[in-house]
Amino acid sequence: MTPLDGEAKSFLGSNSSLNCMVWFLKSGDLSVQANSVLVLKHVLSSDQKKMEEFSRIEVSLEALVKVIKEPVSPTTTKASLLIVYYMVSTSSSSRVDEKIITRFIDMGLIERLLEMLVDCDKSICEKALGVLDGLCLTTQGREKAYANALTMPVLVKKILRVSDLATEFSVSIVWKLSKNDKREDGGVIVEALRVGAFQKLLLLLQFGCNEKIKDKATELLKLLNLHREKLECIDSMDFKNLKRP
């Protein structure tokens, strides 16, 4: 049926078809899982109504996370991340849909994304950061990120090292975490400073970036500067001495 035209998407996006594809993701062999997630990417990415119908199917979100946690191939991982990204980015505009974000968080998606980001290609990195940015819109998502030792080293490492989009998502996540961290010891702001965030953000402003990220980077520099005299800034080149959870 590929390439998928409007009629094909209509058939494949029917409720019975979506239910079948969820079943294939949970129970099918690797090739069936791969085909199903690729079809879902095409059907759901351009239709918000279908996306909402899919999310209401029992174990649909669990099936997507399964493909991310137990990857069949880089192609299927990218497709799954893209579907999740559309879900969490649209959820940000609706309080009711925050339940979707909560379900993803409860399934350990934040921990899995951070592990993936340590070593992945550009495309997966951008999509994983996009999903993480959406998940950190919620208090629960930020708490999970605060608790993970990989969070700040990974995010700071990706600034200016992968792509403009990866840099934008990384700065956005660091900004969300820093802005909302109320711990008296400085929390993630101190962590970010220790792994070289101050230098990275200075470079970002010198190289130039869009206004949206420029404002966030400037605000972050002000927060970091409050603790800068107390700490030695280092470059975040590796993870050898990092305690992983």
Side-chain angles (χ1 to χ4, degrees):
M1 298 178 77
T2 55
L4 301 182
D5 56 19
E7 185 178 13
K9 288 182 180 180
S10 178
F11 282 118
L12 292 169
S14 67
N15 190 262
S16 57
S17 174
L18 292 176
N19 273 280
C20 282
M21 282 188 277
V22 170
W23 188 83
F24 289 149
L25 285 178
K26 290 287 288 183
S27 309
D29 61 29
L30 297 184
S31 64
V32 172
Q33 287 180 25
N35 289 333
S36 297
V37 77
L38 291 173
V39 170
L40 282 169
K41 181 189 75 169
H42 290 294
V43 171
L44 301 179
S45 61
S46 59
D47 193 325
Q48 177 62 30
K49 185 178 179 181
K50 296 296 182 190
M51 186 79 76
E52 292 171 358
E53 291 175 0
F54 174 79
S55 66
R56 288 195 289 268
I57 297 174
E58 188 177 359
V59 306
S60 59
L61 305 190
E62 288 80 358
L64 279 178
V65 173
K66 176 177 180 286
V67 176
I68 295 171
K69 285 186 171 182
E70 303 169 17
V72 177
S73 70
T75 302
T76 56
T77 300
K78 293 170 191 175
S80 301
L81 286 170
L82 197 58
I83 295 170
V84 176
Y85 171 71
Y86 286 128
M87 286 185 167
V88 299
S89 58
T90 54
S91 294
S92 63
S93 61
S94 171
R95 282 191 168 276
V96 176
D97 288 340
E98 282 190 7
K99 293 178 181 178
I100 293 175
I101 295 179
T102 300
R103 285 173 64 189
F104 281 131
I105 292 169
D106 288 342
M107 285 182 268
L109 186 55
I110 286 179
E111 292 85 349
R112 176 57 185 146
L113 291 173
L114 290 168
E115 290 173 2
M116 290 171 61
L117 284 165
V118 172
D119 183 22
C120 61
D121 66 32
K122 173 184 171 182
S123 182
I124 289 179
C125 179
E126 291 174 342
K127 293 172 178 62
L129 286 169
V131 173
L132 190 58
D133 189 40
L135 296 177
C136 285
L137 284 164
T138 65
T139 301
Q140 185 184 358
R142 291 191 294 270
E143 290 299 328
K144 290 286 186 181
Y146 293 144
N148 197 301
L150 283 172
T151 302
M152 275 301 133
V154 165
L155 292 175
V156 173
K157 189 181 180 71
K158 300 305 176 184
I159 297 173
L160 296 175
R161 296 195 69 176
V162 180
S163 67
D164 289 345
L165 183 59
T167 294
E168 185 173 330
F169 280 135
S170 297
V171 172
S172 177
I173 299 166
V174 174
W175 177 78
K176 285 185 176 76
L177 295 176
S178 300
K179 182 182 174 184
N180 291 284
D181 194 351
K182 306 303 181 185
R183 287 175 286 183
E184 293 183 1
D185 61 356
V188 291
I189 300 170
V190 172
E191 291 177 39
L193 192 58
R194 282 175 174 154
V195 293
F198 195 88
Q199 296 96 320
K200 284 286 189 78
L201 293 169
L202 277 179
L203 283 173
L204 177 62
L205 292 177
Q206 289 171 357
F207 287 149
C209 54
N210 65 52
E211 287 300 316
K212 186 177 178 182
I213 294 303
K214 183 179 179 180
D215 291 343
K216 290 178 179 177
T218 302
E219 189 174 345
L220 278 170
L221 281 172
K222 290 177 181 177
L223 290 172
L224 291 165
N225 199 46
L226 296 173
H227 300 271
R228 191 161 169 248
E229 291 183 359
K230 304 174 187 176
L231 295 166
E232 179 184 359
C233 298
I234 61 169
D235 187 20
S236 55
M237 292 299 294
D238 62 47
F239 302 92
K240 288 187 296 184
N241 299 317
L242 182 69
K243 290 185 178 181
R244 294 183 62 168

